[in-house]
């Protein structure tokens, strides 16, 4: 929980979210039947959403400055690493807007 308390916005370093994700996964692996495991599963989802949002924000930046190659690489990373997140859908929507322009 301390790692999540250290977390900041998605435009800052995401190491605290990565550390929290590792901690919560470890807790789930070691104590899968614990009452805390269910809460840890929710926190894992929260951490994954935060990490995906960071990647989506970087993707949006690359789209904004017109660097499509870098944006596509980030999009591929989001879709590979975080396919179930809202940020992945947001990235796809942004790409559709960019490629749909005349």
């Amino acid at each position: 929980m301390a790692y999540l308390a250290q977390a900041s916005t998605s435009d800052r370093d995401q190491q605290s979210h990565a550390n929290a994700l590792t901690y919560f996964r470890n807790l789930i692996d070691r104590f899968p039947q614990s009452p805390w495991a269910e809460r840890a599963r929710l926190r894992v989802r929260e951490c994954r959403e935060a990490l995906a949002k960071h990647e989506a924000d970087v993707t949006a930046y690359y789209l904004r400055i017109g660097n499509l190659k870098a944006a596509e690489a980030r999009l591929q990373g989001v879709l590979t690493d975080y396919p179930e997140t809202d940020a992945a859908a947001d990235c796809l929507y942004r790409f559709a807007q960019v490629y749909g322009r005349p």
Side-chain angles (χ1 to χ4, degrees):
M1 291 300 284
Y3 290 121
L4 284 182
Q6 296 172 2
S8 185
T9 59
S10 66
D11 63 335
R12 302 290 181 195
D13 181 33
Q14 296 299 300
Q15 188 60 47
S16 57
H17 280 112
N19 290 342
L21 182 61
T22 301
Y23 173 80
F24 290 126
R25 284 184 172 162
N26 186 21
L27 190 147
I28 292 167
D29 289 343
R30 291 181 64 197
F31 308 105
Q33 302 305 320
S34 164
W36 293 102
E38 190 57 38
R39 289 183 181 175
R41 285 182 189 89
L42 293 173
R43 294 297 185 172
V44 164
R45 177 150 172 80
E46 179 183 335
C47 290
R48 289 181 55 78
E49 284 287 345
L51 292 169
K53 177 146 178 29
H54 172 73
E55 291 297 317
D57 289 348
V58 174
T59 302
Y61 168 75
Y62 284 133
L63 286 173
R64 196 168 45 253
I65 65 169
N67 189 343
L68 290 179
K69 188 172 183 175
E72 287 173 356
R74 289 290 183 149
L75 173 66
Q76 184 177 8
V78 169
L79 294 177
T80 302
D81 297 338
Y82 311 104
E84 77 288 351
T85 62
D86 294 337
D90 185 48
C91 279
L92 287 173
Y93 178 73
R94 288 181 184 169
F95 266 86
Q97 287 181 320
V98 168
Y99 283 116
R101 289 183 195 157

